[in-house]
């Protein structure tokens, strides 16, 4: 479905918080239509911005701890992490130009 790496509650610290890269975490679920709609857009953004931002996915149904920790109450929700801290939160499915505008600070 997506080229993005899947992260879990168990791998979140190593894959996201301890990463030197800028990481966008896509909080999603299999049953979520808007999540499925935004997934290929995120794949495109990742492919076009290699080395600037890495996109990973966290299934909130399978990994409730991180969803609860980061107060994910609606999906799709995307959080950009830099240096282990949330640098930006984006809620809801958006077209590619809107997502690129939201992420402009990280794609420059």
């Amino acid at each position: 479905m997506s080229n993005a790496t899947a992260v879990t509650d168990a791998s979140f610290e190593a894959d996201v918080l301890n990463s030197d890269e800028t990481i966008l975490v896509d909080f999603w679920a299999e049953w979520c239509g808007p999540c499925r709609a935004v997934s290929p857009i995120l794949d495109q953004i990742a492919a076009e911005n290699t080395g600037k931002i890495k996109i990973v996915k966290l299934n909130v149904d399978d990994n409730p701890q991180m969803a609860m920790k980061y107060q994910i109450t609606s999906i799709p929700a995307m959080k950009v992490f830099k240096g282990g801290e949330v640098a930006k939160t984006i809620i809801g499915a958006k077209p590619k130009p809107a997502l690129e505008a939201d992420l402009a600070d990280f794609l420059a």
Side-chain angles (χ1 to χ4, degrees):
M1 182 173 116
S2 170
N3 299 325
T5 305
V7 296
T8 64
D9 285 344
S11 72
F12 197 88
E13 185 174 349
D15 290 343
V16 177
L17 301 181
N18 294 339
S19 177
D20 293 334
E21 297 177 273
T22 300
I23 309 271
L24 181 146
V25 180
D26 176 18
F27 292 87
W28 74 289
E30 195 70 47
W31 50 263
C32 168
C35 298
R36 290 196 306 272
V38 81
S39 184
I41 297 169
L42 292 175
D43 284 347
Q44 286 178 355
I45 291 172
E48 292 167 7
N49 294 280
T50 305
K52 295 178 186 170
I53 194 163
K54 180 179 178 184
I55 297 178
V56 300
K57 298 176 80 62
L58 184 123
N59 184 316
V60 296
D61 289 338
D62 297 340
N63 301 283
Q65 287 177 321
M66 288 303 121
M68 195 179 323
K69 179 176 180 178
Y70 291 101
Q71 302 170 342
I72 303 302
T73 54
S74 64
I75 54 174
M78 293 148 269
K79 291 192 179 279
V80 178
F81 288 80
K82 274 188 86 112
E85 299 292 323
V86 175
K88 180 137 189 134
T89 299
I90 303 166
I91 305 293
K94 298 182 179 187
K96 186 178 178 198
L99 279 173
E100 286 176 327
D102 286 343
L103 297 171
D105 291 347
F106 308 102
L107 304 179

